[in-house]
């Protein structure tokens, strides 16, 4: 990774931007202060809401940080399929005493307005999810001194990131919690995602860009593994979700290690786009029938998810989590960064000596 970018964060640890109120300024600030790169998630927020969080974060830390944007989505959803799914969810609405949301509440997530704010009030790093921005957008951010990162889930997507002129690619493996950052939503490819280590190796051969590895990383030894595979840093989301600074609902935090939730699946049940979450009742009952319709399904189910959280019912919430969720640690975010850094150093020492942490062949 270019020294100018790595100089922003001494440790190769990036806190993933988690939309929906998880990546709050307090979390990002704690990660930044500990030597990692903290991120705010602008997804599902207004441009004004994003700017207010940026100002709040700047009041908490003087260290560099990032802001994540969702790319606008093309209009390819089948309205009839959305209507059918809405009828299927009628029982949920009755159960939670909530109205279904309006599926036509907006597709672009305020993209252009948010970009205008970030050009007028530059931040050190901006990342993009659900596609690659245009070269014009990337150049505009570069002109104000902002580094640009873009998520890719395949080598072809990484090539698109390189063509856009981004500074680094976030290689997101299928193990990752939350939404897969695929550039196009193709239902026929559901379940065919690439595992992180294989993806890092493939992207390393496909493009000449620094790589930030993301997906299921919960320990410093795993960070060492992706660095050895060719990544320059690791991005962790679920690992930070359980921290006290995280804005996640308490039920969500508890569910990460609750024996009731033993596995994760990729599902369209809550948003209409593939996203990995803990398997609960809502996912089991509705996942098989949810259409490829993002953000229509996100808007449709939003009141249900909020009502479930208000009722204290984790079985109706979107419990986003990566495959390593059972390894979550309820440590303060800054302390977690320190622990991860220590584990990374130990793993590197063991690898250089021909052994593995905790004992092994030498």
């Amino acid at each position: 990774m270019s020294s100018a970018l790595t100089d922003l964060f001494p440790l190769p640890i990036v806190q993933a931007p988690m939309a929906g109120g998880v990546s709050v300024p307090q979390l990002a600030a704690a990660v930044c202060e500990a030597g990692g790169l903290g991120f705010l998630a602008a997804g599902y927020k207004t441009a004004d809401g994003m700017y207010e969080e940026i100002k709040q974060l700047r009041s908490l830390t003087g260290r560099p940080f990032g802001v994540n944007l969702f790319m606008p989505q093309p209009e390819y959803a089948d309205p009839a399929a959305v209507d059918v799914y809405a009828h299927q969810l009628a029982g949920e609405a009755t159960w939670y005493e909530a109205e279904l949301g309006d599926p036509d509440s907006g597709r672009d997530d305020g993209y252009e307005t948010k970009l205008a704010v970030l050009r007028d009030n530059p931040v050190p790093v901006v990342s993009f999810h659900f596609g690659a921005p245009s070269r014009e957008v990337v150049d505009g951010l570069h002109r104000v001194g902002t580094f640009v990162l873009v998520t890719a889930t395949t080598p072809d997507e990484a090539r698109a990131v390189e063509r856009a002129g981004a500074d680094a690619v976030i290689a997101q493996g299928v193990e990752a919690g939350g939404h897969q950052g695929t550039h196009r939503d193709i239902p026929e490819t559901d379940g065919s995602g690439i595992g992180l280590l294989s993806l890092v190796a493939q992207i390393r051969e496909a493009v000449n860009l620094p790589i930030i590895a993301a997906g299921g990383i919960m320990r410093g030894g795993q960070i060492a593994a992706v660095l050895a595979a060719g990544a320059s840093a690791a991005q962790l989301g679920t690992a930070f979700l359980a921290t006290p600074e995280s804005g996640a609902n308490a039920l969500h935090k508890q569910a990460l290690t609750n024996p009731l939730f033993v596995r994760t699946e990729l599902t369209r049940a809550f948003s209409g786009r593939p996203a990995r979450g803990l398997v609960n009742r809502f996912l089991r009952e509705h996942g098989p029938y949810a259409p490829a319709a993002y953000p229509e399904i996100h808007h449709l189910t939003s009141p249900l998810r909020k009502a479930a959280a208000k009722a204290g019912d984790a079985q109706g919430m979107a419990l986003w989590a990566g495959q390593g969720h059972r390894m979550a640690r309820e440590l303060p975010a800054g302390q977690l960064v320190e622990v991860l850094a220590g584990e990374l150093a130990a793993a590197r020492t063991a690898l250089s000596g021909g052994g593995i942490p905790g004992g092994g062949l030498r």
Side-chain angles (χ1 to χ4, degrees), residues 171-182:
Q172 186 194 36
V174 72
E175 304 95 332
H179 284 94
Q180 290 282 295
T182 50

Side-chain angles (χ1 to χ4, degrees), residues 91-108:
E92 299 283 350
T94 301
W95 176 257
Y96 289 115
E97 298 181 343
E99 297 289 333
L100 293 175
D102 178 4
D104 300 317
S105 296
R107 316 192 52 76
D108 68 356

Side-chain angles (χ1 to χ4, degrees), residues 40-357:
L40 294 174
Y44 309 136
K45 288 185 172 66
T46 64
D48 286 343
M50 176 192 75
Y51 183 48
E52 287 303 315
E53 287 205 341
I54 290 171
K55 291 194 293 183
Q56 186 178 353
L57 178 53
R58 283 179 166 145
S59 73
L60 296 172
T61 181
R63 298 193 62 84
F65 61 90
V67 175
N68 175 256
L69 298 183
F70 286 169
M71 291 293 297
Q73 298 299 289
E75 295 188 26
Y76 51 63
D78 178 2
V82 175
D83 288 343
V84 169
Y85 194 58
H87 285 297
Q88 182 180 329
L89 296 177
E92 299 283 350
T94 301
W95 176 257
Y96 289 115
E97 298 181 343
E99 297 289 333
L100 293 175
D102 178 4
D104 300 317
S105 296
R107 316 192 52 76
D108 68 356
D109 201 47
Y111 180 71
E112 293 294 343
T113 307
K114 290 173 183 176
L115 280 175
V117 171
L118 293 170
R119 286 192 294 262
D120 291 341
N121 304 272
V123 299
V125 181
V126 170
S127 69
F128 294 85
H129 209 59
F130 297 147
S134 68
R135 187 68 183 242
E136 180 182 10
V137 165
V138 174
D139 289 346
L141 290 170
H142 282 165
R143 282 194 292 271
V144 296
T146 297
F147 290 98
V148 176
L149 316 178
V150 184
T151 300
T153 64
T154 67
D156 281 345
E157 290 179 354
R159 294 185 186 98
V161 172
E162 188 172 47
R163 289 193 298 271
D167 299 287
V169 57
I170 301 169
Q172 186 194 36
V174 72
E175 304 95 332
H179 284 94
Q180 290 282 295
T182 50
H183 292 194
R184 294 181 61 215
D185 186 10
I186 306 173
E188 291 76 16
T189 62
D190 281 5
S192 63
I194 304 173
L196 181 57
L197 285 176
S198 179
L199 181 63
V200 168
Q202 292 179 48
I203 288 180
R204 190 180 184 192
E205 294 190 2
V207 301
N208 189 29
L209 281 178
I211 298 169
I212 298 173
I217 300 173
M218 304 292 288
R219 296 287 187 266
Q222 293 172 288
I223 298 174
V226 296
L227 297 183
S232 297
Q235 179 172 280
L236 293 76
T238 306
F240 286 104
L241 197 151
T243 64
E245 293 91 344
S246 155
N249 185 286
L251 291 173
H252 192 169
K253 295 182 181 184
Q254 294 162 10
L256 296 175
T257 53
N258 187 328
L260 287 175
F261 303 101
V262 297
R263 62 189 177 89
T264 64
E265 279 186 11
L266 286 171
T267 184
R268 295 178 180 272
F270 298 100
S271 73
R273 234 182 186 274
R276 184 173 296 282
L278 298 172
V279 176
N280 61 3
R281 179 195 59 78
F282 194 103
L283 189 155
R284 284 193 302 270
E285 293 182 1
H286 302 294
Y289 312 105
Y294 177 89
E296 287 86 352
I297 302 304
H298 162 76
H299 296 314
L300 188 71
T301 67
S302 179
L304 300 180
R305 290 178 274 125
K306 292 176 181 176
K310 185 177 180 180
D313 183 9
Q315 295 295 338
M317 297 167 59
L319 303 173
W320 303 137
Q323 288 184 339
H325 65 95
R326 298 301 293 271
M327 302 168 72
R329 298 179 281 202
E330 296 180 13
L331 297 174
Q335 185 180 345
L336 178 57
V337 172
E338 294 172 2
V339 170
L340 289 167
E343 292 171 345
L344 169 60
R348 281 176 154 172
T349 299
L351 288 171
S352 65
I356 57 175

